Amino acid sequence: MQAAAEDRPEPISTCWNYWLAVPTGDQVGVMEILGLSLPRPITFAEAQEVIDEDGHGEPGSRDHLSRVFVTPEVDGWTLVIGAWCDPFDGERREDVLRLCRALSARYGGAQAYYYGAQGDGSAWLVAENGCAVRRYAATGEPDDKSLTLGNPLPYEQVRLLELGLSVDGDLRTASVEQIDEWTLAAFDMAPEIAAACGVSPFTLTHDTKVCGTGVLAITPEGAGRAFEDTEDC
């Protein structure tokens, strides 16, 4: 696996998408905070294949949590892409919350997202200066409400107003129709929030300003495991 020096960014999107976004070009520092290891250079095209392969792995296997793609600096941001970054998963959410707080304490901000491109909903987490300022999930699961932290982000407020809802996100006085409209909108909102708050993996292009080389790295979950396909990705 060799990332060519002339490799250019391109959109990364699969059926299930999970990523962190950090406003820094300090790839090494981000990896240090996250506890990532054994980085290997990889192109954006190769990363797309790896992430898609992991997402369609064997049911019940946790191998999809073993590796992530860490982008080079893209428009002043570093993205970390892979299921290990999931802010919604019951086994990952608290660790991802902790890591976003730690990243934001060093870099001023950090975000985590989930987006199911097959109509499986969205979740987002935004931390600033060591504190979580917003977490929200719209996936249709019973524990969506339990994840809510903080007040709606500016982008959320705009969408709430468009539906005639209160900008504080309080739906107790909303009609059934309004609640349904908001739920439908929120299901697809993670990519929109990401683009509004910084850089989204869905909107990367060859013209995106880039510095450095992307790497495939092993997560703490995957540390010590042997991957026969590492050299063949």
Side-chain angles (χ1 to χ4, degrees), residues 150-163:
N151 297 316
L153 300 168
Y155 185 86
E156 293 176 74
Q157 294 178 18
V158 170
R159 299 300 301 275
L160 286 162
L161 283 174
E162 289 174 349
L163 297 175

Side-chain angles (χ1 to χ4, degrees), residues 97-152:
L97 177 61
R98 175 185 63 82
L99 292 170
C100 281
R101 285 171 172 159
L103 287 165
S104 72
R106 179 181 292 188
Y107 301 111
Q111 305 157 17
Y113 297 94
Y114 160 69
Y115 174 61
Q118 305 297 317
D120 296 316
S122 289
W124 52 91
L125 165 63
V126 177
E128 295 177 356
N129 302 314
C131 298
V133 298
R134 180 61 166 165
R135 184 171 67 177
Y136 191 84
T139 69
E141 296 296 328
D143 58 348
D144 276 357
K145 282 188 177 182
S146 68
L147 262 72
T148 301
L149 294 172
N151 297 316

Side-chain angles (χ1 to χ4, degrees), residues 18-86:
Y18 319 83
W19 71 98
L20 302 177
V22 190
T24 181
D26 183 13
Q27 184 189 65
V28 172
V30 169
M31 291 176 58
E32 178 185 10
I33 290 176
L34 297 178
L36 304 179
S37 61
L38 302 176
R40 294 175 176 266
I42 187 173
T43 66
F44 280 84
E46 289 170 331
Q48 165 83 20
E49 293 181 8
V50 168
I51 294 165
D52 188 51
E53 175 187 328
D54 286 352
H56 291 86
E58 184 178 346
S61 169
R62 296 186 64 80
D63 285 350
H64 66 299
L65 300 178
S66 295
R67 55 188 182 176
V68 290
F69 172 49
V70 187
T71 70
E73 180 179 351
V74 284
D75 280 345
W77 291 69
T78 297
L79 306 181
V80 183
I81 305 173
W84 185 76
C85 304
D86 189 356

